[in-house]
Amino acid sequence: MADTAIQIGELSRRTGCNIETIRYYERIGLMPAPPRRGRYRSYGAGDVGRLGFVRRARELGFTLDEVRALLRLAAGGEASCAEVRVLAAAHLGDVRGRIADLRRMERVLADSVRACDAGQDPGCPLIDALCAEPQLPQTGC
């Protein structure tokens, strides 16, 4: 590993991951503690690959615990594919829920901006919308 060892700055450049984030991932166990050459951390190709995996998973919105589970499953081979699918399907459900929430937010903001543009209300439609009681979905309770 000595001839292919890189320092944390180079690891950051290769993966696009912030140095402080790399250190944080080491503290919480997503990245293994690297060997040191003097006072410098020394990383190899495996670290570049693992950090790239973590970064891509985070970009897809997986939580740190989900990333940790994906890393364990990635090391497990073919038998883990069904477990990865279950985890991904649950995450997809969460993403779809957030998209629905964002669409609702978009409608409220668009309506408020249109009302502001119309200039018919004496007050500010956005402030009025923020002051209004929330409309909770009917739950049957």
Side-chain angles (χ1 to χ4, degrees):
M1 179 168 160
D3 56 324
T4 61
I6 60 172
Q7 292 180 1
I8 196 167
E10 180 62 20
L11 178 64
S12 173
R13 279 187 289 286
R14 288 187 188 185
T15 61
C17 195
N18 184 288
I19 290 173
E20 288 305 315
T21 303
I22 296 169
R23 290 179 180 143
Y24 173 68
Y25 288 164
E26 289 172 7
R27 280 194 306 275
I28 65 170
L30 281 181
M31 291 292 295
R36 291 185 177 261
R37 295 173 70 192
R39 17 174 285 203
Y40 299 103
R41 292 171 166 92
S42 183
Y43 299 92
D47 297 311
V48 173
R50 183 180 179 102
L51 186 56
F53 180 99
V54 170
R55 186 167 188 269
R56 286 186 296 278
R58 294 292 289 149
E59 286 172 349
L60 289 172
F62 286 99
T63 66
L64 294 174
D65 286 337
E66 289 169 333
V67 172
R68 196 173 279 112
L70 286 169
L71 285 167
R72 274 193 308 273
L73 293 169
E78 285 184 41
S80 64
C81 189
E83 295 172 88
V84 171
R85 186 200 170 286
V86 167
L87 198 148
H91 184 64
L92 178 59
D94 292 341
V95 168
R96 287 179 173 156
R98 283 183 280 180
I99 289 170
D101 289 343
L102 287 170
R103 286 188 177 131
R104 280 190 293 277
M105 285 186 253
E106 178 187 32
R107 282 192 299 276
V108 169
L109 288 170
D111 291 346
S112 296
V113 168
R114 270 193 298 281
C116 284
D117 288 342
Q120 297 172 351
D121 292 333
C124 175
L126 182 56
I127 298 297
D128 293 344
L130 294 172
C131 291
E133 289 290 321
Q135 295 179 353
L136 300 176
Q138 297 292 331
T139 60
C141 297

